[in-house]
Amino acid sequence: MNKLANMRHWPERMSPNFVISRANMGMPAINPHQKVVAAQVGAPPNPNNQQPDAPIHYSFNVPFASELAGPDTEDVLHATADAVCRWTHPEDAPDDIPVYELPVHAQNLAQLRRMCKDITQSQYPIEAHVISTTPKHVKGQVTTVCLSGAADMVYKAREQVLNETPLSLRCTTVDVDGHLLANLNEGVMKKSVTDFLDEISTYCGVDIFLLGPKLTPMMDGLNGDVELRRDQRWRVAIYGDIMSTEHAKTRVLIHIDQLLGRIVDGMQFELSLHQLLCGRNRKNIKLIESATNTAIYFPPPFLQAYRYCPPNAQPRNPQEIWVTGENPQAIELAKFRVHEMLSRLRLFVKDVQIPSAKIDSILLSRMDKVRKIMETNGTFIAFPPLASRQTSVRVQGLDNVQIDRTVRELMALVGQFYTASWWITHPESRQSPGHNDIKTMLGDICANSDADVTFDKMTFAITGSDEAVKAALMVISDIKFVTHSQYQIRVKIELANEHKEFVSGKKNGKINKIMGQSNVQIMFDNFGEFNFHIDVMGQTYDSMKQGLSLVEQEMPASISFHVPDQYHKRIIGIGGQHIQRIMKKHSVFVKFSNAMDRGGMRGEDDDSRVDNVICRTPARNAQNLELVKSEILEMVDRADSEFTSQIVNVDRLYHRQLLARLSDIEDLEKKWNCKIVFPSTEQASDEVTVTGPQWQVPMCVDEFLGMVPDRHEVVMERSPALIKFLESPDFVHQIVPKLKTQYEVEVTIHENTEDRTETGDPTVTLLWTFTRNNAGGLRDAMEFLQGQFATSGVEPVLIKGSIPRPKSDTFEESLQYFDSKLLQHLPTPVATDSPTKPSFGDEVARERNNIFDRLRKPGSMSSISSFLDRRKNSSHSVSTSLFKGSSNVSKSSLISIESTRSFNADRNPWNDSGVNLPDEESPWPTRSFTSNGPDHKLAVPHPGDATPRHNARQSADSGRPSTSHSMNSGYPGPLPGPFR
């Protein structure tokens, strides 16, 4: 029998570029009017309708996250049992050893191989094999499992593999003050802390590292200047699977609260009610926390969908909620308010049907987006357990409007995944693959596409993200026994019902034109309550690829943004003349909605910031979306211009004090028409998000930082002249008040007997206190004081806390090449403890090295001083934009939804595209679907968004959710070649 190597002809393993190998060879056109008959006769069978005893071959990738690296050993101050051995390479390992060869990843792979071996040797007629590869276009190692046997047994084996394997390994960190964990003066770790970390590591099944401080970017004041400062806090790094790390992180946060003197209590109620209790954007729970000065910790909302638990570990109770407070009365008050709010809940429930393969794909790759949907709408989405083959998903909320919005956004997420079938109708028996060939073939397809592939009765069934399915089809097209036989390809795209006429055009004009151009059959079927399917069928791979590309270009691309309701009439114009001119000019349809149209918001504060304008056009015209948005925003006053977001870093423990001033924050929001959003308690994040008009956000941030105190210490050697100056009436009555009035900085004098010079002499400490928005005045204040020292003839000796002069804007850097004693050279920038600018002196590093050297166990690891010196001398550059807005989202699939945050869910304004592009903009007459001639070889696309982007003005949101693995994306313009 021929080997698989003789049946395929791809040149390399894969490359990131996706190009056509040959032009369409002119297959006889299929009559569009015969598409229904042809589909009934020649359509491939549904892969889900398998006979119970029919043997199938199933292949899928196991998301191990093998690119996750452990911490730097020089950062580690303490590690739990065997954590260092599992997450670091041995000392004799070469420098270029890949991350996926870490002991922890090798152990997980070996455990998976043993599991598959046990499945194969069991009494059931099933075979399981593990294939590990390192494709060129993938970072890290790809692990693929191939199952062969009866369909029911194959699916049960897949369920066992996915629920007994640590999936999606990750590292989550918690920042904590060092004095809570160690006696810094003695240089000794607190035994109670190390015992607790060891206990949590065993109880939750995770590895925990205690790491030293790090350099963090800070943004201060109205100018938005970014600097690198050394965070005073230490880090607790937790490594493990997705649920175990969340469990351990919450317990670490609760223990930190106990170290701060707070007490802990708990309560239990149904998991499906947690998100409803929190409210939209956790507004309700923040009100309870601010009124009672408590912290409430909820479990992850999708805890029941994942059934994996590490060996000898305890899973978290999904109904348990922990509350920490300063006294029992505060905790009891918080629990009373929670139960009072629960008693007033009115529940609405809706069940939706989603294919089981797409549910698994969402659970494995889209749960962050699902969590955001739940928090935005204040609803709960109950998924079935992973790989359980169940198709029903329940959505629970407080009113039907929020449930409908949640369902629409969820179904739009479902539309990001394709299904495809490659049906070989007349295979050549002499080239039919054997059992081992099929196993190797499916392993290669999965490794190079990240799609799930089933092979049964000479039919490939493929499921996965849009990019993964198209990459899998490309790999199959390079297998000789497939291309030498007659076959039919069918790709199913899921889209919202309201977009049917948008895609098909008037009288199905767009679809008929595509079918005539690319020799494919296109059908709309399976109309449900929310989504329908577009079936693209072709007799050759090239024709199907061309037809699918053209269909994707006709799918709706959209952006949504906020414009205050009072400007709508001005933008629309008399009789709609203004907006009609814009729509006709750019061939983009624009829809406005006011507060009455949105309905269900019930006058909430968030209603003033909901996206109420949506622009929609076919994907091939997506580059004009930003132009339309720009023209609309030009008619809006500067104070109400485009909404954007800015992130401010504030110590998470200080969030509780800020929430206690919730009334002041609400006044601040009303004053600047902005929204200040604090992260959830379980996230343990320092990032506070300020959202509002881009010209108002900086002022709001500046005033908000005025509520956040900061401090800086300058330690100087004690001398009689210095003490005389600091005790003089001029300093007390003139200099100190001037520093307060002119520089917004207060200075006080302290004497700390523990701070000594290297020779043991006493010191004097100047404590500078200010608010974060006035941090820039600290340098000027210190320079002013330095001038007063010089005038009085005092020469202070700084021990630590000095701030070097700012970088010169002259030609000083270029003068380093001219050796001259007359030229003053720029000092080398180093890391800093300063809250304002880039560096301190070497004294800071020396002082900290001594602490960490005392904390480290003798002989356990190399000195932490190398960590501090390396970090201190590094030149990290951080650049951010003052105005941040989420990028427009789009992918080649371009399945778009109506903005559920902006429109009533019962309305259907999109019954037709309303957009007629000029004929000269049509891609069909001049489009070439070959890249470099008919002999150009195919290559696998890189997973993610490889679509050409339109990098114009950023928008605050999009009606089209991101697809595949894209982190940020823009809408593609007309594609120059085949689909990617």
Side-chain angles (χ1 to χ4, degrees), residues 175 177 212-221 225-235 648-652 686 705 708-713 767-776 778-779 802-804 829-840 844 848 867-868 871-878:
D175 296 325
D177 290 334
K214 64 176 181 178
L215 293 175
T216 56
M218 298 295 293
M219 180 180 297
D220 292 306
D225 294 335
V226 177
E227 66 194 26
L228 286 177
R229 61 179 295 186
R230 188 179 302 284
D231 199 329
Q232 301 295 324
R233 297 170 297 177
W234 296 3
R235 295 166 290 158
V648 183
N649 286 314
V650 179
D651 190 341
R652 66 175 184 85
D686 295 338
L705 290 177
V708 181
D710 207 339
R711 55 184 290 175
H712 176 61
E713 291 184 355
L767 179 61
W768 305 77
T769 58
F770 48 92
T771 55
R772 281 276 302 278
N773 61 329
N774 294 317
L778 177 61
R779 179 187 300 279
S802 62
I803 300 180
V830 292
T832 176
D833 289 339
S834 168
T836 55
K837 293 299 169 188
S839 69
F840 285 90
V844 180
R848 281 210 170 80
F867 149 69
L868 291 174
R871 293 290 181 87
K872 174 171 64 70
N873 295 321
S874 64
S875 57
H876 295 78
S877 62
V878 178

Side-chain angles (χ1 to χ4, degrees), residues 614-805:
I614 184 169
C615 305
R616 182 162 293 156
T617 189
R620 56 193 168 96
N621 189 47
Q623 68 273 12
N624 285 342
L625 288 172
E626 289 289 350
L627 301 178
V628 172
K629 179 182 176 183
S630 300
E631 287 200 30
I632 291 176
L633 292 179
E634 286 177 359
M635 305 183 203
V636 179
D637 293 344
R638 179 173 177 175
D640 297 318
S641 60
E642 179 179 356
F643 273 50
T644 185
S645 298
Q646 183 172 332
I647 294 177
V648 183
N649 286 314
V650 179
D651 190 341
R652 66 175 184 85
L653 294 178
Y654 194 73
H655 292 182
R656 300 169 183 175
Q657 301 181 39
L658 292 174
L659 287 174
R661 303 173 59 184
L662 198 58
S663 58
D664 297 336
I665 293 178
E666 290 178 351
D667 294 340
L668 185 62
E669 292 177 335
K670 294 178 181 178
K671 177 180 179 181
W672 299 109
N673 190 26
C674 293
K675 187 69 175 178
I676 301 175
V677 180
F678 290 87
S680 62
T681 310
E682 306 86 27
Q683 291 179 356
S685 174
D686 295 338
E687 296 182 349
V688 178
T689 305
V690 181
T691 304
Q694 65 176 9
W695 299 104
Q696 304 284 84
V697 167
M699 277 74 79
C700 182
V701 169
D702 183 73
E703 194 164 340
F704 173 72
L705 290 177
M707 304 169 64
V708 181
D710 207 339
R711 55 184 290 175
H712 176 61
E713 291 184 355
V714 177
V715 180
M716 298 179 292
E717 183 179 348
R718 182 185 179 94
S719 65
L722 177 62
I723 297 300
K724 181 179 179 181
F725 175 79
L726 296 178
E727 294 177 351
S728 63
D730 290 342
F731 177 80
V732 175
H733 300 293
Q734 295 184 11
I735 297 178
V736 172
K738 191 173 183 179
L739 292 173
K740 175 61 178 175
T741 56
Q742 291 189 4
Y743 302 102
E744 299 290 341
V745 176
E746 293 184 1
V747 59
T748 55
I749 304 172
H750 300 272
E751 294 189 18
N752 190 351
T753 57
E754 297 177 355
D755 286 336
R756 295 278 179 171
T757 63
E758 294 182 354
T759 59
D761 297 331
T763 60
V764 175
T765 301
L766 297 183
L767 179 61
W768 305 77
T769 58
F770 48 92
T771 55
R772 281 276 302 278
N773 61 329
N774 294 317
L778 177 61
R779 179 187 300 279
D780 298 333
M782 295 182 66
E783 290 180 353
F784 170 77
L785 183 60
Q786 185 67 30
Q788 297 297 320
F789 283 150
T791 303
S792 303
V794 179
E795 296 182 359
V797 178
L798 296 181
I799 305 302
K800 71 173 183 178
S802 62
I803 300 180
R805 64 185 182 87

Side-chain angles (χ1 to χ4, degrees), residues 361-526:
S361 298
I362 291 176
L363 290 175
L364 293 175
S365 61
R366 297 289 194 275
M367 288 313 297
D368 290 341
K369 296 183 179 179
V370 173
R371 185 200 291 265
K372 185 177 180 181
I373 292 174
M374 294 167 62
E375 292 181 352
T376 301
N377 296 288
T379 54
F380 176 77
I381 303 176
F383 284 97
L386 178 64
S388 62
R389 303 290 295 170
Q390 299 180 27
T391 60
S392 179
V393 175
R394 172 163 292 186
V395 180
Q396 188 168 302
L398 299 179
D399 60 67
N400 287 326
V401 173
Q402 299 299 342
I403 289 180
D404 285 341
R405 289 174 177 167
T406 302
V407 172
R408 288 178 181 273
E409 292 186 22
L410 176 63
M411 297 305 289
L413 207 60
V414 171
Q416 298 179 9
F417 300 95
Y418 286 5
T419 58
S421 299
W422 191 303
W423 183 31
I424 303 174
T425 56
H426 298 84
E428 295 186 11
S429 58
R430 59 179 180 176
Q431 290 190 353
S432 298
H435 179 75
N436 292 333
D437 293 335
I438 294 176
K439 180 183 66 175
T440 307
M441 174 178 60
L442 295 184
D444 283 345
I445 296 173
C446 286
N448 290 284
S449 66
D450 197 28
D452 292 359
V453 183
T454 303
F455 185 74
D456 177 30
K457 297 179 180 179
M458 303 305 291
T459 300
F460 293 92
I462 309 163
T463 59
S465 64
D466 50 359
E467 294 295 320
V469 168
K470 290 185 288 189
L473 291 175
M474 193 280 303
V475 177
I476 295 175
S477 69
D478 280 341
I479 301 176
K480 284 189 175 182
F481 97 90
V482 174
T483 56
H484 288 181
S485 306
Q486 294 184 14
Y487 59 85
Q488 184 181 12
I489 310 174
R490 179 178 184 179
V491 179
K492 272 192 174 184
I493 306 173
E494 197 165 349
L495 195 60
N497 284 336
E498 57 264 27
H499 300 318
K500 175 182 178 294
E501 294 188 21
F502 190 100
V503 176
S504 63
K506 294 181 180 180
K507 298 182 180 180
N508 292 330
K510 296 181 181 179
I511 295 302
N512 291 336
K513 196 171 185 179
I514 293 175
M515 289 192 296
Q517 175 71 24
S518 57
N519 298 333
V520 295
Q521 300 168 350
I522 301 175
M523 294 177 55
F524 292 359
D525 63 354
N526 293 343

